[in-house]
Amino acid sequence: MIRLVTIGVYGFTAETFLEKLTDGGAGLLLDLRQRRGVRGTDYAWANSARLQSALSAAKIGYRHVKGLAPTTELRHLQYREDDQQGVGKRNRIELAPAYAERYTREILEPFDLDALVAELPADSVTALLCVERDPEACHRSLIAGRLQAQHGMSLSDIRPD
C-alpha cells in the first residue's frame, strides 16, 4: 500500500521540516506549488533550489507537479475570500467553497492521477507539499483526499509541533 502524508511550510524551520519527513519515512516529496518560493527570510529554506538541496542531502527525492498547482486566477479567488473573512494566507483554516469546487473541476478532475500513482514509491512515504500550515486550508488536502478515495492510500498529515 502506498503511504501518503501532507506537509506545509509555515510553522517549520528547515531542520524541523526535514526531521519530520525523515522520521516519517519520506522517500519522495511532490511539490504542488505553482511558484516554488516563499517570501520572507524565515522560509527562504523552502525556496525551490534550497529545498531540493536539503532534500537531496536527506536522501529524499523531489518532483515538482505543476499540473496540480492552482492557477493564479484560482489563488486570487482564495485571496479575495481570505480578505472577506479577515484572515491572511498564513492563518487560513479552510478553503473557500468556490475555490475548492473550481480547483476540483478545473485542475484535479482533468489530471491523470493514475499515471502519477504509478510513479510513486511503494517502499517509502510520499509527501505532498504546499505552503499552508494546515491541510484543510490548502489544495493539497483535495489531492490527498482524492488519492485516498480512488487508490486506497493510507493518509496522514504532518503539522508543526
Side-chain angles (χ1 to χ4, degrees):
M1 172 185 287
I2 295 176
R3 295 173 294 148
L4 191 67
V5 298
T6 75
I7 190 167
V9 169
Y10 296 147
F12 287 103
T13 64
E15 294 78 21
T16 59
F17 180 85
L18 289 172
E19 180 181 299
K20 291 277 190 175
L21 285 176
T22 54
D23 288 353
L28 176 65
L29 182 133
L30 301 180
D31 191 337
L32 306 173
R33 302 176 291 173
Q34 180 189 41
R35 296 184 179 138
R36 296 180 289 162
V38 183
R39 291 184 182 177
T41 57
D42 288 344
Y43 298 107
W45 60 266
N47 293 334
S48 180
R50 290 179 181 151
L51 177 61
Q52 288 181 63
S53 177
L55 290 168
S56 178
K59 307 286 190 262
I60 299 171
Y62 173 91
R63 181 171 167 207
H64 182 219
V65 187
K66 191 172 183 177
L68 285 173
T71 62
T72 300
E73 179 187 356
L74 281 173
R75 287 190 358 264
H76 284 259
L77 183 153
Q78 181 63 56
Y79 297 157
R80 285 191 300 276
E81 181 67 22
D82 292 345
D83 289 344
Q84 289 177 356
Q85 299 295 322
V87 298
K89 180 179 183 178
R90 293 186 186 199
N91 54 7
R92 177 188 316 134
I93 59 170
E94 64 183 357
L95 291 171
Y99 173 93
E101 185 277 323
R102 282 193 55 197
Y103 176 84
T104 299
R105 179 171 35 89
E106 297 173 15
I107 306 290
L108 189 54
E109 288 177 359
F111 191 87
D112 187 354
L113 286 177
D114 292 338
L116 178 69
V117 169
E119 298 174 356
L120 298 181
D123 60 345
S124 65
V125 173
T126 296
L128 303 180
L129 168 76
C130 199
V131 295
E132 288 80 7
R133 180 189 185 281
D134 298 313
E136 302 84 6
C138 180
H139 74 289
R140 73 182 186 268
S141 66
L142 301 173
I143 300 163
R146 179 69 58 97
L147 288 168
Q148 184 179 37
Q150 289 184 350
H151 296 278
M153 296 181 176
S154 71
L155 173 64
S156 60
D157 300 306
I158 299 175
R159 299 175 196 252
D161 293 330

